[in-house]
Amino acid sequence: MTTARVLVLGLDPAKIQGWDPEPVQAAIARGRARFDDHGVEADWCLVALEENPEGAIEEALTREDYACVVIGGGIRTHEPLLELFEKVVNLVRRHAPDAAIAFNSSPENCADAALRWLPQRMPRDPDTGSRDRA
């Protein structure tokens, strides 16, 4: 049986100027561990805004087949990055059209966000036997 694979997209905290990346890096480490705890394979693509983030994300999306892509709050919730967020959503749609899109509220709960959408974790519909959400 093939394990569903997840891609987490976010900002690289070490490359954001003007603040201490260590608390976010520690939260990311805890988030990675939660994927391991659930037996879910996860790849992480942490981008720097000044280093072609769209290119890095496109490359990550085409590396594997992903069942779910988690888009982090750094990309999603910071209003000046709205255009980047739109580009990321469209890159996911283009390069991983079968992947669910999930949103976390912190680096620590990326696994929880993905688990809401991974097919083997979804309950079956009693009438159809399907695990589809749509």
Side-chain angles (χ1 to χ4, degrees), residues 49-92:
L49 294 174
E50 59 283 338
E51 295 176 9
N52 186 17
E54 295 95 338
I57 290 168
E58 184 172 3
E59 182 181 325
L61 285 164
T62 58
R63 216 176 293 141
E64 297 282 346
D65 253 348
Y66 293 104
C68 183
V69 177
V70 178
I71 302 174
I75 291 173
R76 222 178 50 253
T77 62
H78 188 54
E79 189 172 340
L81 298 182
L82 178 62
E83 186 177 340
L84 174 62
F85 175 50
E86 290 174 340
K87 288 177 183 178
V88 169
V89 169
N90 284 296
L91 285 169
V92 173

Side-chain angles (χ1 to χ4, degrees), residues 13-77:
K15 297 189 177 177
I16 298 173
Q17 295 181 11
W19 64 293
D20 180 9
E22 288 183 24
V24 177
Q25 290 168 327
I28 289 170
R30 290 188 297 273
R32 287 180 190 264
R34 289 199 34 80
F35 278 108
D36 293 340
D37 292 345
H38 288 282
V40 174
E41 291 185 49
D43 297 325
W44 292 65
C45 176
L46 302 178
V47 300
L49 294 174
E50 59 283 338
E51 295 176 9
N52 186 17
E54 295 95 338
I57 290 168
E58 184 172 3
E59 182 181 325
L61 285 164
T62 58
R63 216 176 293 141
E64 297 282 346
D65 253 348
Y66 293 104
C68 183
V69 177
V70 178
I71 302 174
I75 291 173
R76 222 178 50 253
T77 62

